[in-house]
Amino acid sequence: MEASNSRSTPAPHTGWRLRNLFAAREAGVFIALILMCVFLALTSEAFLSTRNLLNIGRQVSLIGIMAVGMTFVLISGEVDLSVGSTYALAGLVTGMLLIQQWTMLPAIAVGLLIGVGIGVLNGVLSTYGKLPSFITTLGMLSIVRGAALLITDGQPVTVNIRQGVLPDVLEQFEFIGQGYLFGQIPMQLVFFIIIAILGAIVLSLTTFGFRVYAVGGGQKAARVSGIRVFSVKVWSFIIMGTLAGLAGILSMAFLPSGQAGRTGLGLELDVIAATIVGGASLSGGEGTIPGTILGVLIIGVLRNGLVLLGISPFAQELIIGLVIIIAVAIDKWTATRRAA
């Protein structure tokens, strides 16, 4: 009966989609980004150079890919703290398979399946298992990191010919991480753009996207409407896990080296911060992919600008931390005002 009702759920109205494409908060983030860019352009000659702008695009791409997945999770009313560990395990396993002379596509497929599997576990435990997603994914963060340490025995994984990787496979693998489209656009940025476009289409133009918003806005109302709440949340976690795995694989292709104890460490904080800065709410039901892209760019431009201005790395972490706190505070304050 539930499945039948879910099929009859009407697709979101076109006007509703357009109104939610750029909410007021996303417009505020866009203005903040423009002002930041103007300030950096006036204070640093290097900021507006094509090389620097493309470098920013490459730097934010992996966080951006994962932030797209985090948008689905946060809108559905959950959170995923295991993305950094998933990122590490997927990339390291893919690299190890290449060292075992696997061809590129099967190795990447295994890495992506690892992300899918972790997403399924997170989703099932957080829904059918009745565990808070914060606790589930916090535990999964340690479990997956421990699995990566066990598989690699704590040793670095380096993908090169000396380690046994087939020369043509190494060339293909390095291209997706280090290559350039048309000799100008970093491939990591190309992947980010494609994922962002697909994410925006799914979230704003499909019935599944409508259900994600409905579940995050009110689970009881969504369930009464015939939406399979648990299924929607599980699929949101699967999207997150898959994109975290993809980002980890691209990272391995870019370096190409990683260590289980360091790769992706603390990355979940940047991903969540970028998503929240872009307008997603920790309370669920709010957020857009365009907003997330703006949030990712805010964090990326801020980090790049602090480097160009010669700010101490220690001060940079302090400033980024303040931005995160301010973003979460704005999220809570606006939620309180709406409730009032």
Side-chain angles (χ1 to χ4, degrees), residues 153-170:
D153 197 26
Q155 299 301 311
V157 174
T158 303
V159 180
N160 57 38
I161 294 177
R162 291 190 300 274
Q163 297 296 325
V165 183
L166 299 173
D168 57 333
V169 173
L170 180 62

Side-chain angles (χ1 to χ4, degrees), residues 1 24 28 62 68 101 119-121 143 148 157 207 210-211 214 237 253 259 273 294 300-301 304 314 327 339:
M1 178 66 70
L62 300 185
V68 170
Q101 298 192 341
V120 170
L121 288 174
I143 292 171
V157 174
T207 302
F210 167 74
R211 290 173 181 170
F237 276 109
Q259 189 169 0
L294 291 174
V301 169
N304 179 264
F314 305 114

Side-chain angles (χ1 to χ4, degrees), residues 86-95 97 102 104-118 241-249:
T86 304
Y87 170 99
L89 182 60
L92 291 170
V93 169
T94 300
L97 293 177
W102 282 44
M104 187 178 73
L105 292 181
I108 289 177
V110 172
L112 293 177
L113 285 174
I114 287 173
V116 171
I118 295 171
T242 304
L243 294 182
L246 174 61
I249 293 168

Side-chain angles (χ1 to χ4, degrees), residues 4 27 40 52 64 67 84 124 147 180-181 200 210 254 308 324 326 330:
S4 175
L40 291 174
N52 185 62
V124 170
Y180 292 85
L181 183 65
F210 167 74
F254 176 71
L308 292 177
I324 294 172
I326 292 171
I330 291 174

